[in-house]
């Protein structure tokens, strides 16, 4: 009987998760197995995979072909982007970010991880922990992914040996304690044969924990694990111009996305940086009035009083205002092939606000393989460092570990308008 048949008939919300690990550890096969066993592959796609597998002389369907398109692109150097896959089980929707395994694509792994709420770290049971295992785990911890699952894959190639699983788990736990990773779970699996992915299989009776799919189905959704302050960066001020409609003459709505927390009609709010206060008169979504808006909803807020607010401002609840910061310390991942220049001025984009920024100093560069820190005068592509930045105007931010939306920013090269760095406020 399918494990999916035991799942509750409820909506567990959206889960964004990341798969990462070393090259050839089975990420593509795991994703293919998840899609296949959860019955979310279209018939024509399945037919194409079956034909390709047969042409290659394979006796079984190669599920890794589902992500082959992106792998081919990577090998040819056409793109090094992250691949996203979408599927649903009926009780939950999923977005999978498939991060590149190569070290030179660290920047892409950081990009993919920035929105994930769970990371699957794959380990080849024959090889145990590798440099990329430590690297990706450290990055996952750094970007604030709250839940890690270490999938010890290819158990079929070690005869489903429990001692091998236990040895790798102990190695990882020792590493996790050093890094400060707290929430980590372990699963032995064979993505190739489907053991412990969606179905339990009958070859690892010694493992009594949940399958991968059961962990995914029960993982907490984003924004549900702790109280969050209300943060609403203003994207657009809506003032309709329709002289024939007198109801719109005084309409002034502030449009944006609720990045965290919630807001209800009647709540006292403050706009930053002006510091003006009012109360919420109405909340609209898609032209309809609602009483309350929650995180990740894009809405329009109308206030009881006329206040001066524009794009780039932040609307917060009056009792939950963040501090204004003109200097920030942050962990920065450098994304550009052009090295960071402390002598240059960059643009820092935080939510919808842009300010000019200069590097005050590079505190240290982190070796994510060894966790050692060292001095640095500049940053090359894929470097990660603690950097102190001076801003021309204040931003209203939270520490990244407290709020991933308002604790993150990107750095833009003014001359090219390219994104050259991504940062997380310490």
């Amino acid at each position: 009987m399918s494990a999916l048949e035991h799942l509750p008939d409820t909506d567990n919300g959206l889960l964004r998760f990341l798969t990462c690990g070393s090259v050839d550890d089975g990420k593509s096969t795991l994703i293919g197995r998840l899609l296949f066993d959860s019955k979310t592959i279209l018939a024509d796609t399945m037919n194409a995979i079956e034909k390709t597998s047969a042409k290659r002389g394979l006796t079984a369907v190669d599920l890794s072909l589902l992500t082959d398109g992106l792998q081919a692109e990577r090998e040819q150097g056409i793109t090094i982007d992250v691949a996203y896959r979408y599927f649903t089980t009926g009780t939950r929707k999923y977005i999978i970010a498939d991060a590149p395994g190569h070290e030179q694509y660290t920047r892409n792994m950081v990009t993919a991880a920035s929105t994930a709420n769970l990371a699957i770290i794959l380990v080849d049971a024959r090889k145990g922990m590798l440099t990329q295992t430590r690297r990706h785990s450290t990055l996952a911890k750094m970007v604030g992914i709250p839940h890690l699952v270490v999938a010890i894959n290819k158990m079929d190639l070690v005869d489903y040996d429990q001692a091998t699983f236990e040895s790798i788990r102990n190695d990882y736990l020792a590493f996790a304690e050093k890094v400060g990773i707290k929430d980590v779970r372990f699963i032995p699996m064979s993505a190739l044969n489907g053991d412990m992915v969606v179905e339990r299989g009958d070859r690892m009776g010694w493992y009594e924990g949940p399958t991968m799919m059961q962990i995914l189905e029960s993982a907490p959704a984003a924004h549900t694990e702790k109280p969050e302050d209300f943060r609403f960066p203003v994207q657009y001020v809506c003032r309709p111009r329709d002289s024939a409609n007198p109801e719109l003459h005084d309409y002034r709505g502030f449009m944006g996305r609720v990045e965290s927390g919630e807001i209800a009609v009647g709540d006292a709010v403050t706009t930053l940086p002006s510091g003006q206060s009012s109360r919420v008169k109405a909340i609209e979504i898609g032209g309809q009035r609602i009483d309350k808006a929650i995180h990740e909803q894009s809405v329009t807020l109308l206030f009881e009083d006329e206040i001066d607010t524009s794009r780039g401002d932040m609307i917060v609840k009056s009792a939950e205002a963040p501090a204004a910061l003109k200097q920030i310390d942050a962990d920065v991942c450098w994304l550009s092939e052009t090295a960071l220049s402390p002598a240059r001025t960059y643009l820092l984009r935080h939510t919808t606000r842009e300010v000019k920024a200069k590097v005050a100093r590079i505190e240290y560069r982190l070796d994510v393989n060894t966790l050692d820190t060292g001095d640095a005068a500049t940053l090359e592509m894929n470097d990660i460092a603690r950097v102190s930045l001076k801003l021309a105007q204040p931003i209203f931010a939270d520490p990244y570990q407290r709020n991933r939306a308002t604790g993150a920013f990107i750095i833009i090269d003014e001359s090219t308008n390219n994104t050259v760095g991504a940062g997380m406020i310490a």
Side-chain angles (χ1 to χ4, degrees):
M1 181 178 288
S2 167
L4 287 177
E5 295 177 28
H6 298 288
L7 299 175
D9 186 21
T10 56
D11 182 1
N12 294 334
L14 172 68
L15 180 69
R16 297 183 179 91
F17 69 94
L18 170 78
T19 59
C20 52
S22 193
V23 179
D24 295 330
D25 52 14
K27 292 192 296 296
S28 297
T29 304
L30 172 61
I31 294 172
R33 177 60 64 181
L34 280 170
L35 298 176
F36 179 74
D37 284 1
S38 60
K39 300 177 176 59
T40 52
I41 300 176
L42 296 176
D44 56 346
T45 303
M46 195 63 208
N47 289 336
I49 294 173
E50 289 173 346
K51 289 179 180 177
T52 303
S53 299
K55 287 180 182 177
R56 295 183 179 182
L58 302 175
T59 56
V61 177
D62 183 0
L63 295 173
S64 69
L65 294 174
L66 281 167
T67 57
D68 237 17
L70 184 81
Q71 287 184 343
E73 288 179 342
R74 286 177 188 157
E75 289 165 3
Q76 295 167 35
I78 298 171
T79 178
I80 53 173
D81 208 346
V82 177
Y84 290 94
R85 296 289 182 270
Y86 309 87
F87 75 103
T88 180
T89 60
T91 57
R92 184 163 226 177
K93 296 180 177 65
Y94 294 93
I95 299 177
I96 310 172
D98 181 18
H102 298 78
E103 182 174 345
Q104 63 267 36
Y105 300 153
T106 295
R107 58 178 181 169
N108 303 85
M109 191 273 180
V110 171
T111 302
S114 64
T115 57
N117 205 46
L118 181 147
I120 300 174
I121 311 287
L122 279 102
V123 177
D124 188 325
R126 299 168 301 170
K127 302 175 182 175
M129 288 187 64
L130 300 175
T131 299
Q132 284 296 74
T133 311
R134 298 182 180 87
R135 187 178 186 84
H136 285 169
S137 298
T138 303
L139 290 172
K141 167 70 167 51
M142 179 179 291
V143 301
I145 297 178
H147 309 291
L148 299 188
V149 180
V150 177
I152 301 174
N153 192 27
K154 302 188 181 183
M155 288 296 293
D156 52 306
L157 300 181
V158 295
D159 296 325
Y160 298 98
D161 180 43
Q162 181 179 1
T164 300
F165 169 75
E166 299 288 353
S167 175
I168 297 173
R169 185 177 68 171
N170 291 338
D171 288 347
Y172 192 94
L173 284 173
F175 164 77
E177 183 176 4
K178 184 178 179 182
V179 179
I181 296 172
K182 296 178 180 176
D183 188 340
V184 57
R185 307 176 75 170
F186 299 87
I187 299 181
M189 67 168 52
S190 168
L192 181 66
N193 296 329
D195 299 297
M196 296 300 171
V197 180
V198 176
E199 313 288 348
R200 295 192 67 84
D202 55 6
R203 286 165 284 213
M204 287 185 282
W206 46 266
Y207 172 73
E208 298 178 347
T211 64
M212 177 63 75
M213 182 57 83
Q214 287 171 328
I215 288 180
L216 296 177
E217 285 287 303
S218 60
H223 305 285
T224 60
E225 297 180 77
K226 58 184 179 182
E228 293 182 321
D229 294 337
F230 174 69
R231 299 290 184 257
F232 187 84
V234 177
Q235 293 185 7
Y236 184 71
V237 180
C238 182
R239 301 201 67 183
R241 304 294 181 187
D242 185 358
S243 57
N245 187 347
E247 293 183 0
L248 297 180
H249 286 178
D250 297 322
Y251 188 98
R252 184 177 171 85
F254 304 100
M255 308 177 81
R257 193 177 96 135
V258 180
E259 294 294 352
S260 62
E262 59 183 41
I263 191 74
V265 173
D267 283 348
V269 294
T270 297
T271 65
L272 301 171
S274 71
Q276 297 179 72
S277 297
S278 183
R279 288 188 179 275
V280 177
K281 181 173 70 176
I283 304 172
E284 297 180 350
I285 182 168
Q288 303 296 316
R289 295 273 173 115
I290 57 177
D291 295 329
K292 183 174 75 172
I294 63 172
H295 49 81
E296 299 190 356
Q297 279 188 313
S298 294
V299 298
T300 302
L301 302 180
L302 291 89
F303 298 149
E304 293 178 353
D305 309 287
E306 286 204 11
I307 57 177
D308 181 18
T309 301
S310 58
R311 176 179 171 81
D313 291 354
M314 179 86 76
I315 296 173
V316 300
K317 286 186 178 177
S318 299
E320 301 174 349
L325 304 175
K326 284 199 72 174
Q327 180 160 341
I328 56 175
D329 293 329
D331 294 319
V332 171
C333 178
W334 197 249
L335 311 177
S336 174
E337 295 177 353
T338 304
L340 177 148
S341 171
R344 288 192 54 186
T345 299
Y346 294 94
L347 273 181
L348 185 146
R349 179 176 297 163
H350 171 258
T351 63
T352 58
R353 189 173 183 82
E354 285 188 0
V355 299
K356 292 183 181 295
K358 288 200 69 169
V359 174
R361 61 186 175 279
I362 300 174
E363 302 281 357
Y364 58 80
R365 180 165 51 199
L366 176 69
D367 184 332
V368 295
N369 296 322
T370 64
L371 303 182
D372 293 334
T373 59
D375 295 336
T378 184
L379 297 180
E380 306 289 343
M381 187 173 70
N382 291 324
D383 277 349
I384 294 175
R386 175 63 59 86
V387 178
S388 181
L389 294 160
K390 285 186 176 179
L391 312 180
Q393 296 175 309
I395 61 172
F396 302 92
D398 299 288
Y400 184 81
Q401 295 299 329
R402 181 176 174 184
N403 191 316
R404 294 173 74 180
T406 58
F409 60 86
I410 59 173
I411 301 172
I412 299 170
D413 186 323
E414 281 188 295
S415 60
T416 63
N417 209 32
N418 290 333
T419 299
V420 294
M424 295 155 281
I425 297 172

